Amino acid sequence: MRRVGGVLLSLALTLLGLLVVTFIIGRVMPIDPVLKIVGDRATPAQYEAARQAMGLDKPLIVQFATYMGDVLRGDFGRSISTGHPVAEDLRRVFPATLELASLGTLIGIVIGVPLGVLAAANRGGWIDQVARVLALIGYSVPIFWLGLMGLLVFYGMLHWVGGPGRQDILYDGMVPQVTGLLLIDTALAGDWGAFRDAFSHIILPAGLLGYFSLAYISRMTRSFMLEQLSAEYITTARVKGLPERRVIWGHAFRNIAVPLITVIALSFGSLLEGSVLTEIIFSWPGIGSYITKTLLAGDMNAVLGGTIVVGACFVTLNLLSDILYRLLDPRAT
Amino acid sequence: MTFPFHVRAMLLATAVALSPAAMAPAWAETPANALVVAATIDDIISLDPAQSFEFSGNDVTQNIYDRLVDFDPLALDKGFQPALAESWKVSEDGKTITLTMREGVKFQSGNPVRAEDAAWSLQRAVKLDKSPAFILTQFGLTPQNVDQMVRAEGNTLSITMDKPYAESFVLNCLTASVGAVVDKETVLQHVEGDDYGNKWLSTNGAGSGPFSLGAWKPNEAVQLVANDAYWQGAPAMKRVIVKNVQESSAQRLQLEQGDIDVARNLTPTDIDAIAKNDKVQILNEPKGRMIYMGLNQKDPLLSNPAVIQAMRHLVDFEGMANSFLKGQWIIHQNFVPAGYLGASDDNSWTYDVEAAKKILADAGITSGTITTKVRDLREYLDVAQTLQASMAQVGLTLNIEQMTGAQVLDAYRARQVPVFLGEWGPDYADPQTNASTFAINPDNEAAKGSTLAWRNAYAVPKDMQDAVLATVTEGDSAKRTAMYLDIQKQYHDSAPILPLFQRVEQDGARKGLAGWSTGGAVSSAMYRSVTKAAQ
């Protein structure tokens, strides 16, 4: 129990630190949030009235204390750029990103891990070359270019997938929202037309993110595997006459599972907050584009709310990978 | 090398999932009775008509609410027409305008539209005092006196003003979003504190317009639902969906696929590309927005009349209008946009580096360095760089600083931008909207002003300001027009603020779509006249 308490405390402290830093950056940023509210035409009196209504005339420390008090009561305030409560906005945009990043990471794991293992097992062979070229392209080609090309080819020319956005207007709002993840909600509702529509919209951006995540995952897997394959116990196993398949998957792979989990968690985390360009190209209403847009508007309630969510995700992912680490590796205590 | 079984199974599953058979294209045409528009709508911050002051927000409120007088989407040049007010008359002294309300009109809630609702709506806007309130308060209405000045009696509404303003001026102002008539009874149920229902109306609708608000998901989509009981007839489109699509190329793809009916933010390149598509049409509509150059008079170099005069010859009007501004901006060198009463077509400044050089040499100027702070958008940067190149030819160095829109605006409002390149859009459908900001600056020394003239430290000559103020009380429209033409002539010859280009909106639309109007130079998008024919 004491350990759980300690973990929760460090989680809270991490988030608090994140908030303080974000809050300060937000307040020293050369963007005036009052202007966003009152616009270009306002008289000085209207400007001043709006500034006071937003509490920006109070000392920084008072503003922060007020904000923290609200957050502890579960109130993230109202976004000035959307007019909606931030909590409501986040409930809408976060599932969109979560769904996209999860599917992307899944694709990255399903293809990236076997590819990395096989590349290491056949070092210098054709699979290794293919993996290297895939990773190289993944690192060097800008994501927005690949995204636009993907849209042009698979949506524009081949008509295989749906266009930008999460679903077609025919299906918009047709399925009751349960989790906010459309693939799950449509399946729960048994509306397979809507499911197919949602799938056709997500597969291209998720595939794109999956590609970038697989480039990273496969490279890391390959290097972990190479390290293992040169270890003595592998030579021993081979000498004992074990089939190569069992040497690779049974012995070496089991030993890289632990560091791999950290790699995957990191990759998932970066997809959660780093898919901004993908979200913009595909008009994906997620948290990445939400934070970017609100930041440019000086909309600090929204930015702070978004930061808490992304920060909490990172901390949770770290925690989960830590727990798995302990479960999988008995030596770790 | 053989793949282990589970890898093979996964590869197969992936291949099946990705195959075209698994994902037959169910997505093709939009429904015949729904209008789907792609646009960038991330500027909406409120749908309360007394607060909304952004292009996309006004596109929504325009369709949810009716105003006392309004435009006909298919005949914008006829000017304001009777709407919720059937008729009106001006009192003997010219200070009171009395409007008679149309009978039998209902709000979307089912409540009748009464003179009382109209009066309350105007009083509410004045008392809330959000940005667009000045459109009403310029008639002498204040939060303190508005209850006496704006009154409902039976089915008439009377508005009393501090001066006998021109009838056209008053009614033009009432066509603005801030003149929307809201459902008093409904809004009163949602008042919080002294906010007059502002918080609730920011995300909800309570109007009598042709559409009601279905849903607004910020940065994602706005859905409107047809009001079949609309007094001017039910709209043909039962649903209107405006999707937020940022990228021009993504809008173009969706348009070509038939997933959307209209794309509103296509670049000249994408317009060129769809011109060859026989399923698509290009609709051109002049808008009121202008690109102008402000020369800050606090700068010793820029306040030299010779420099001001030389700058008029250093703008490559034709070159820019024919290249990167192609089709989307046309040359317009006066502050009243074409489409407005009193617009001037005197575009006599010419690109002439030699002339500029001579003017500067005569004034003894051979070199100088000036800074411009520009919003990091392609169009402005292109304009700034073109200007930089032509200025270099006469020995003037233009430093370009890129910033976000909010940063530039901040600096501009603090009078810290030497050469300002940016846009201005009219606030209401009357020439006074631009005259009062380009040519009014009551106190150039005051700590804070808000007109464009003030921001450029332009001490407007007293006689010009007097002329601008006199136009609004001139009842004869022909005389009013002549007065604006006069003022603009003087402005064109002397002012340090140079209007350069006027916006033309180029929308891509599916063939068969008709009745589309984005409100021209004077108003916002109106969907009630849109129809779709089978392609």
Side-chain angles (χ1 to χ4, degrees), chain B residues 312 333-335 344 346 349 439 458-468 482-497:
Chain B
R312 296 189 190 124
Q333 300 171 348
N334 295 282
F335 65 67
S344 158
D346 170 16
W349 298 331
Y458 171 36
V460 184
K462 175 130 190 340
D463 60 332
M464 197 195 286
Q465 299 200 58
D466 289 345
V468 170
M483 290 166 90
Y484 281 116
L485 287 171
D486 260 5
I487 297 167
Q488 287 178 93
K489 168 127 193 30
Q490 200 188 339
Y491 201 84
H492 194 265
D493 293 340
S494 64
I497 302 177

Side-chain angles (χ1 to χ4, degrees), chain B residues 163-166 169 430 432 467-474 480 484:
Chain B
K163 272 193 253 172
Y165 293 100
F169 178 40
D430 192 89
Q432 189 63 11
V468 170
L469 296 176
T471 51
V472 296
T473 50
E474 176 52 62
R480 243 192 120 201
Y484 281 116

Side-chain angles (χ1 to χ4, degrees), chain A residues 296-310:
Chain A
L296 286 177
D299 182 357
M300 285 322 289
N301 281 346
V303 173
L304 285 165
T307 309
I308 296 177
V309 169
V310 173

Side-chain angles (χ1 to χ4, degrees), chain B residues 55-137:
Chain B
F55 294 114
S56 309
N58 285 359
D59 282 348
V60 179
T61 55
Q62 175 76 32
N63 291 284
I64 299 177
Y65 297 94
D66 279 320
R67 285 142 293 272
L68 291 161
V69 286
D70 222 335
F71 291 100
D72 176 348
L74 300 180
L76 292 168
D77 50 0
K78 283 202 292 187
F80 56 81
Q81 303 290 313
L84 289 183
E86 214 166 26
S87 61
W88 50 85
K89 60 176 200 292
V90 180
S91 66
E92 285 284 304
D93 65 0
K95 283 182 167 181
T96 301
I97 185 160
T98 305
L99 303 105
T100 306
M101 301 295 289
R102 189 178 299 275
E103 298 282 349
V105 180
K106 285 195 157 69
F107 284 111
Q108 288 143 12
S109 65
N111 294 337
V113 178
R114 307 158 302 171
E116 199 184 326
D117 294 288
W120 189 73
S121 303
L122 298 180
Q123 292 162 355
R124 173 181 183 273
V126 169
K127 289 177 192 166
L128 262 180
D129 197 24
K130 301 285 185 188
S131 308
F134 78 90
I135 299 174
L136 301 174
T137 56

Side-chain angles (χ1 to χ4, degrees), chain A residues 197-212:
Chain A
D197 176 65
F199 185 75
S200 82
H201 278 91
I202 200 174
I203 190 63
L204 192 58
L208 188 67
L209 289 180
Y211 177 57
F212 280 83

Side-chain angles (χ1 to χ4, degrees), chain A residues 144-155:
Chain A
F144 63 87
W145 187 82
L146 267 189
L148 285 175
M149 287 302 114
L151 269 179
L152 186 66
V153 173
F154 296 107
Y155 167 67

Side-chain angles (χ1 to χ4, degrees), chain B residues 23-51:
Chain B
M23 298 190 294
W27 35 90
E29 305 269 295
T30 59
N33 61 356
L35 172 70
V36 187
V37 180
T40 53
I41 53 166
D42 51 0
D43 58 334
I44 307 179
I45 55 173
S46 171
L47 295 181
D48 183 341
Q51 180 181 8

